[in-house]
Amino acid sequence: LQVFEQRYGAVHPSFHIGTLKSALTAAFNVPADLKRPLIVFLHSDRALTGHLFCSQVICSESIASYIDQHFVMWAYDLTEKRLQQQILTECQAIFGFSGRKQVENVRAGQVALMIVITKVQSAPQVF
């Protein structure tokens, strides 16, 4: 968070601090009127599009406010190879093989990606 704010400023959505699993808990294990979809924001310092996306979209006051009102947001840095492997392992444990494949298809250094996760019945769904 500190590096993000140094790079892009203080205007941004509130990021859930913790693990992906704790972000899922914050989004879905709450009373029904407080449940919100989870945005998983994957980025890499090597992605030019990621820098543009952060500075021009995520840090827009209106977008940040909308995300805060309607979503829980969790960010993850894919810059280092070991971090890429960690998120793939975590995604497979939580969402199964198809969830892992969706994240695996993102190549670090090429794009920034926002994945929206909703809960249908009792299982999280990755979109």
Side-chain angles (χ1 to χ4, degrees):
L1 182 59
Q2 184 178 12
V3 171
F4 187 92
E5 288 182 346
Q6 287 173 346
R7 199 171 279 160
Y8 304 109
V11 175
H12 58 78
S14 299
F15 295 114
H16 176 83
I17 305 299
T19 64
L20 176 56
K21 193 168 191 159
S22 71
L24 286 163
T25 298
F28 304 124
N29 291 2
V30 294
D33 60 328
L34 297 177
K35 289 183 183 185
R36 298 178 288 162
L38 173 65
I39 293 176
V40 174
F41 176 52
L42 302 175
H43 62 94
S44 169
D45 281 346
R46 290 180 286 221
L48 176 60
T49 56
H51 291 293
L52 293 172
F53 189 74
C54 287
S55 63
Q56 301 298 311
V57 179
I58 289 183
C59 293
S60 157
E61 195 168 323
S62 59
I63 298 293
S65 176
Y66 184 84
I67 289 172
D68 282 344
Q69 290 174 17
H70 299 285
F71 297 89
V72 171
M73 188 167 189
W74 183 77
Y76 194 83
D77 182 3
L78 294 173
T79 304
E80 294 180 31
K81 209 58 150 159
R82 69 175 176 80
L83 297 174
Q84 294 170 31
Q85 192 56 48
Q86 284 176 350
I87 193 64
L88 292 175
T89 300
E90 193 167 358
C91 284
Q92 185 165 343
I94 295 170
F95 307 117
F97 185 73
S98 64
R100 176 192 169 109
K101 287 305 278 180
Q102 287 185 336
V103 174
E104 199 168 31
N105 288 334
V106 177
R107 299 287 177 234
Q110 293 181 344
V111 296
L113 176 69
M114 291 175 70
I115 300 170
V116 177
I117 300 170
T118 62
K119 197 164 190 180
V120 178
Q121 297 175 354
S122 64
Q125 303 293 312
V126 178
F127 297 98

